[in-house]
């Protein structure tokens, strides 16, 4: 099943985020980074480890502390022990719930889609037995949850997403929400994330700048970082309309009207949207961060 039951296009509830564990996503490719963490994924290594694997003939360079003297005495040839060493990848989810994410021209806000994606990624980590941490970028401030592997802790984090998401939407309606740079949140994220983490960045990335790019490069230097961009089709291209039709838009404080039938305006709109997307693509490429793009025009089964 790759569908989620939504009670509202503008808010989220805990049942909705629990259903997100049934979403099947194609994960971006991994790249090698330096890490020495231990956990729930096994790989063969020479020397001391956490779990015995096998005995084989001693080879130059093997740790002499791992020589199996019983097998060596019985066979007359030096043997060494191999161990299977756990390697974990604690998962840190950065969820952007700032002003620009509360936009949607169809059946759901970007923030709703992003919250469901965060829940899906967290459930995937839970199934692997990984510890999951959460950071919510809320505009002027952020909310952090420490890594933990228990299901109870993850359900509590999902409830935090629900509460913070809906509070942000209420603040938007009362004109109390302010869009701000994500750099303070990213700086805190860099301080919290240790070497060998798996970091998921969920955002529209519209307010990331040169300082943000430096934070991303720092994050990706010793961690697996993935970028999940959420956009709305109206942000890319204006719909075709008759000369009598206008589009009403609002930033939460002021309202205005767009003239989609104006050819010059449509072309300028598309040009600026293309430039913005190119800047995001370049920023992520320079930071060596795999990038997947989701549109609110589609549903999860369309990405299965």
């Amino acid at each position: 099943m790759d569908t989620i039951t939504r009670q509202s296009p503008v808010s989220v509830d805990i049942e909705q985020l629990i259903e997100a564990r049934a979403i099947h996503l194609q994960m971006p490719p991994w790249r090698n980074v330096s890490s020495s963490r231990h956990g729930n994924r096994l790989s063969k290594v020479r020397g001391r480890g956490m779990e015995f694997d096998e005995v084989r003939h001693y080879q130059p360079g093997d740790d002499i502390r791992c020589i199996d003297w019983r097998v060596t005495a019985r066979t007359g040839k030096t043997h060494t022990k191999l161990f299977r060493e756990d390697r974990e990848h604690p998962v840190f989810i950065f969820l952007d719930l700032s002003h620009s994410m509360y936009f949607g021209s169809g059946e759901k806000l970007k923030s709703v889609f992003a919250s469901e994606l965060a829940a899906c990624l967290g459930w995937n980590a839970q199934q692997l037995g990984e510890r999951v941490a959460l950071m919510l970028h809320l505009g002027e401030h952020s909310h952090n949850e420490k890594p933990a592997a228990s299901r109870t802790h993850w359900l509590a984090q999902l409830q935090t997403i629900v509460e913070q998401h809906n509070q942000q939407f209420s603040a938007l309606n009362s004109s109390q929400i302010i869009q701000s740079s994500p750099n303070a949140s990213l700086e805190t994220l860099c301080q919290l994330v240790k070497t060998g983490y798996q970091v998921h960045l969920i955002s529209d990335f519209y307010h990331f700048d040169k300082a943000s790019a430096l934070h991303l490069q720092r994050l990706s230097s010793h961690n697996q970082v993935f970028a999940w961009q959420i956009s709305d089709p109206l942000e890319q291209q204006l719909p075709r309309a008759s000369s009598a039709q206008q589009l009403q838009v609002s930033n939460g404080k002021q309202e205005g009207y767009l003239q989609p039938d104006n050819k010059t305006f449509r072309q300028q709109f598309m040009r600026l949207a293309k430039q913005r997307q190119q800047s995001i693509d370049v920023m992520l490429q320079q930071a060596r961060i795999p990038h997947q793009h989701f549109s609110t025009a589609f549903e999860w089964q369309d990405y299965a």
Side-chain angles (χ1 to χ4, degrees), residues 97-113:
L97 293 179
S98 61
H99 192 170
S100 64
M101 293 295 289
Y102 287 83
F103 177 79
S105 61
E107 298 181 353
K108 53 190 171 295
L109 297 179
K110 293 189 296 181
S111 59
V112 171
F113 213 35

Side-chain angles (χ1 to χ4, degrees), residues 16-249:
Q16 178 179 343
L17 300 189
I18 291 175
E19 284 186 14
R21 61 185 165 183
I23 296 174
H24 299 286
L25 285 181
Q26 174 118 20
M27 294 295 291
W30 284 66
R31 65 179 179 85
N32 292 326
V33 294
S34 57
S35 169
S36 59
R37 292 192 164 268
H38 306 290
N40 295 315
R41 299 184 185 176
L42 298 175
S43 62
K44 290 185 180 180
V45 294
R46 298 178 184 179
R48 292 177 180 259
M50 296 184 65
E51 182 179 330
F52 174 74
D53 185 27
E54 64 177 344
V55 174
R56 63 151 168 78
H57 286 102
Y58 177 86
Q59 296 179 4
D62 285 350
D63 191 337
I64 61 173
R65 294 173 297 179
C66 294
I67 292 176
D68 191 323
W69 296 108
R70 290 187 179 181
V71 176
T72 298
R74 187 173 65 249
T75 62
K77 295 182 179 180
T78 305
H79 283 70
T80 188
K81 296 178 182 178
L82 290 183
F83 295 84
R84 292 165 62 86
E85 183 181 29
D86 270 349
R87 294 195 179 274
E88 75 166 346
H89 299 281
V91 174
F92 216 118
I93 300 172
F94 175 95
L95 174 59
D96 186 353
L97 293 179
S98 61
H99 192 170
S100 64
M101 293 295 289
Y102 287 83
F103 177 79
S105 61
E107 298 181 353
K108 53 190 171 295
L109 297 179
K110 293 189 296 181
S111 59
V112 171
F113 213 35
S115 297
E116 293 169 354
L117 174 58
C120 170
L121 294 171
W123 283 118
N124 286 343
Q126 272 278 304
Q127 292 174 359
L128 293 172
E130 303 289 11
R131 293 182 296 129
V132 185
L134 179 69
M135 170 176 281
L136 303 180
H137 171 54
L138 303 171
E140 290 189 301
H141 64 284
S142 61
H143 178 92
N144 309 320
E145 295 281 344
K146 295 181 179 180
S150 72
R151 178 185 173 90
T152 300
H153 185 271
W154 174 237
L155 288 172
Q157 294 193 72
L158 291 181
Q159 185 61 41
T160 297
I161 293 177
V162 171
E163 294 170 358
Q164 294 293 334
H165 177 282
N166 297 339
Q167 286 177 17
Q168 286 285 94
F169 182 72
S170 297
L172 177 67
N173 285 339
S174 60
S175 302
Q176 296 174 358
I177 190 170
I178 300 175
Q179 183 66 49
S180 62
S181 166
N183 291 329
S185 296
L186 290 174
E187 184 174 357
T188 301
L189 183 64
C190 289
Q191 295 169 355
L192 294 174
V193 170
K194 311 301 181 182
T195 298
Y197 273 53
Q198 182 184 118
V199 182
H200 295 280
L201 306 171
I202 306 173
S203 176
D204 55 18
F205 297 96
Y206 291 165
H207 300 280
F208 283 57
D209 54 21
K210 291 182 178 180
S212 308
L214 294 177
H215 290 307
L216 296 184
Q217 292 172 20
R218 177 182 170 189
L219 271 176
S220 66
S221 61
H222 298 292
N223 300 281
Q224 296 286 348
V225 184
F226 302 117
W228 307 84
Q229 185 180 1
I230 312 295
S231 69
D232 186 271
L234 190 57
E235 297 171 324
Q236 312 300 323
Q237 182 176 355
L238 292 174
R240 296 190 178 278
S242 64
S243 58
Q245 186 177 0
Q246 294 181 324
L247 294 177
Q248 183 178 5
V249 294

